[in-house]
Amino acid sequence: MLAHISRRLNINDGARNLFVFKTLLQCSTATAAVSSAKPQKNHVLEEFLINSIGFSREEANSSSSLKKVTRLKPMKKEFSLIVNFFQDLGFSKTQIKSLLLVDPHLLFNDLDRTLKPKIRFLQDLGLSGSDLVKVLMGNKTLLGRGLDSHIKPQLEFLRNLFGSDDKVVLALKRCSYLLGYYAPRKMAGIILLLQKLGFSNDQITKLIIQNPRGTLWLNPDKIELVFDKVENYLGIPRGTPMFFHGFTVMSSIKQSTIDMKWGVLRSFGWSDADIHNLMRNLPYTLKVSEAKMRKSLDLFMNDLGYSPAYLASRPKIFSLSLEDLIKPRVEVMKILSEKKLKKRNASLYSVASYSESRFIKVYLLRYKDEIPDVYESYITRHLKKKIENF
């Protein structure tokens, strides 16, 4: 190549050698310049992440996000200020590490001009303490977005959709990706389709608040298919009040899960007519776990002798706590019956539906002298539960 060039330029041997030497020198210098242009490690950042945040050497070296900030000026003092700021907000060191693995550029943000205004805006919305931490951990790139260019417009969209900051906060706690880059665009298309299919604005708002993640990732092409399943599989007519609830359930769980729940009911002798009756009355029964459904059916049918028809017409009983509410009350009723203290047996549903105070008044206070041990045991359990839930 070089010989060809020198011949074309009519260069003699001595001059050719000099030309080759200079050309090689220039190539070598250019290569060195290119090599030196490669980003160098930010050792201050790397050591800070390892020693102060708990990164492993491998994590500090392998993070693709870290490579994007290698040329930024190291500021160890500012790093510590930002980490302390997150800790004061309630972030654990593990959570801070998780944030920085996704976006180490946060350490180079101006604390007073960039990070604090974003946090203050979210706090003014109504997010604070563990709720704020939960939302930011659920959307780890949010603080890397612009306050005026992204966060404020996204929240304004949600305000217009939900109607109040309280509802916005509730939805964000369930799915902080509602503040994601594509969320408004995706939701706008889904909202328009649901409106065309007959859902009111209030129903659409409830649907998103109840299951924001499922709604956000709902495939518009499958919405009409879900409508068809609610009508023909669950047996809930379109236009009835329960249809909306059927859609909410069917759009949030897999068909295999639904089939499995039906299989559990059939294994206890339920007919398809019984199951359809249950679904029409309360489709949310499909959200009950398989284990709880089996335990409930075993107690209600095998131990207490209730029929599928009775249970299907009173589906709320499946949503009540077996261990904390139903079993303790069933035990009290069994003792009262054995001691012949009750002239008439109350039904399972009526006993389970009483408020705690009414149940104690009707079935325990009245007989506390006859069954003092049962009374004391139940009251102690009741008070313990209240303290735990306080």
Side-chain angles (χ1 to χ4, degrees):
M1 178 70 176
L2 290 175
H4 172 71
I5 292 172
S6 63
R7 283 196 301 274
R8 289 286 302 271
L9 295 175
N10 196 24
I11 303 174
N12 60 33
D13 289 344
R16 183 183 302 132
N17 291 337
L18 180 61
F19 175 78
V20 170
F21 173 75
K22 287 181 177 180
T23 302
L24 291 174
L25 181 62
Q26 289 170 351
C27 290
S28 175
T29 304
T31 302
V34 171
S35 176
S36 64
K38 292 180 180 178
Q40 301 298 309
K41 281 187 178 180
N42 190 327
H43 291 289
V44 174
L45 172 62
E46 183 179 324
E47 293 305 315
F48 179 83
L49 292 173
I50 293 169
N51 297 327
S52 300
I53 307 299
F55 274 54
S56 67
R57 183 74 59 181
E58 183 180 5
E59 286 171 331
N61 288 327
S62 65
S63 171
S64 59
S65 298
L66 272 173
K67 295 173 184 176
K68 297 177 184 178
V69 296
T70 51
R71 291 186 179 182
L72 294 174
K73 184 180 178 182
M75 303 173 287
K76 189 171 182 180
K77 180 181 177 182
E78 284 74 5
F79 292 168
S80 296
L81 288 175
I82 288 174
V83 170
N84 290 340
F85 174 65
F86 279 116
Q87 288 178 326
D88 290 342
L89 289 172
F91 285 80
S92 68
K93 185 171 284 189
T94 301
Q95 289 170 326
I96 295 171
K97 176 185 175 182
S98 183
L99 275 179
L100 296 178
L101 275 168
V102 174
D103 188 9
H105 194 277
L106 286 174
L107 287 173
F108 293 88
N109 279 201
D110 187 299
L111 180 58
D112 293 318
R113 294 174 59 188
T114 304
L115 282 179
K116 284 186 176 181
K118 293 175 185 178
I119 294 297
R120 194 178 304 116
F121 181 76
L122 294 173
Q123 289 172 331
D124 290 343
L125 176 70
L127 289 166
S128 60
S130 60
D131 290 338
L132 176 64
V133 172
K134 181 179 180 180
V135 167
L136 293 177
M137 289 303 297
N139 189 350
K140 294 172 187 168
T141 61
L142 181 61
L143 288 177
R145 303 280 186 186
L147 178 58
D148 294 319
S149 62
H150 178 85
I151 297 175
K152 286 184 177 180
Q154 299 288 83
L155 279 170
E156 191 58 32
F157 172 85
L158 295 178
R159 277 191 178 115
N160 291 334
L161 175 62
F162 296 129
S164 73
D165 285 355
D166 288 344
K167 290 181 179 178
V168 172
V169 169
L170 179 60
L172 287 177
K173 288 194 299 187
R174 292 177 177 173
C175 178
S176 54
Y177 272 104
L178 289 174
L179 288 174
Y181 185 75
Y182 295 105
R185 192 183 310 171
K186 291 191 70 172
M187 280 193 292
I190 291 169
I191 289 168
L192 184 61
L193 180 54
L194 290 173
Q195 287 172 334
K196 287 181 178 178
L197 290 169
F199 276 12
S200 68
N201 289 337
D202 284 345
Q203 286 178 321
I204 294 171
T205 299
K206 286 179 184 177
L207 176 67
I208 298 173
I209 290 176
Q210 287 175 5
N211 185 23
R213 185 177 296 276
T215 308
L216 185 59
W217 300 116
L218 195 60
N219 186 338
D221 296 334
K222 293 183 178 180
I223 288 179
E224 292 200 52
L225 178 62
V226 176
F227 267 62
D228 183 67
K229 283 185 177 181
V230 176
E231 280 189 301
N232 301 312
Y233 192 83
L234 296 186
I236 304 174
R238 192 179 298 204
T240 60
M242 201 55 67
F243 185 85
F244 165 75
H245 301 292
F247 177 84
T248 302
V249 171
M250 293 296 279
S251 63
S252 63
I253 58 178
K254 297 178 181 178
Q255 183 63 44
S256 58
T257 302
I258 297 170
D259 293 340
M260 180 266 293
K261 301 289 175 63
W262 279 50
V264 172
L265 290 165
R266 287 187 179 120
S267 71
F268 280 84
W270 287 55
S271 66
D272 285 358
D274 293 326
I275 298 173
H276 277 119
N277 190 25
L278 177 68
M279 295 303 111
R280 279 193 295 270
N281 288 320
L282 191 65
Y284 289 109
T285 309
L286 283 172
K287 303 281 275 187
V288 175
S289 71
E290 179 189 2
K292 184 183 178 184
M293 183 174 280
R294 287 188 182 279
K295 288 179 180 178
S296 298
L297 290 169
D298 185 51
L299 175 65
F300 301 156
M301 298 182 69
N302 296 337
D303 293 350
L304 302 177
Y306 287 95
S307 67
Y310 177 89
L311 297 172
S313 61
R314 299 162 180 83
K316 182 184 174 183
I317 202 166
F318 286 98
S319 66
L320 301 174
S321 172
L322 276 179
E323 303 302 326
D324 291 336
L325 190 146
I326 295 178
K327 284 186 177 180
R329 293 189 182 185
V330 165
E331 189 61 31
V332 169
M333 300 306 293
K334 189 181 294 184
I335 293 170
L336 290 176
S337 179
E338 289 171 355
K339 292 183 176 292
K340 300 187 181 344
L341 294 173
K342 287 292 293 179
K343 294 180 180 178
R344 184 163 57 97
N345 288 330
S347 69
L348 171 66
Y349 184 72
S350 63
V351 169
S353 299
Y354 279 176
S355 67
E356 194 72 282
S357 59
R358 178 163 173 75
F359 179 81
I360 290 172
K361 180 180 178 180
V362 173
Y363 295 110
L364 286 165
L365 273 174
R366 190 177 297 177
Y367 306 105
K368 70 175 184 177
D369 293 332
E370 289 87 349
I371 50 170
D373 292 343
V374 176
Y375 174 81
E376 290 295 334
S377 175
Y378 193 94
I379 293 298
T380 301
R381 182 189 183 98
H382 170 64
L383 290 174
K384 181 181 179 183
K385 187 168 62 173
K386 285 189 72 173
I387 291 171
E388 288 173 350
N389 294 334
F390 182 71

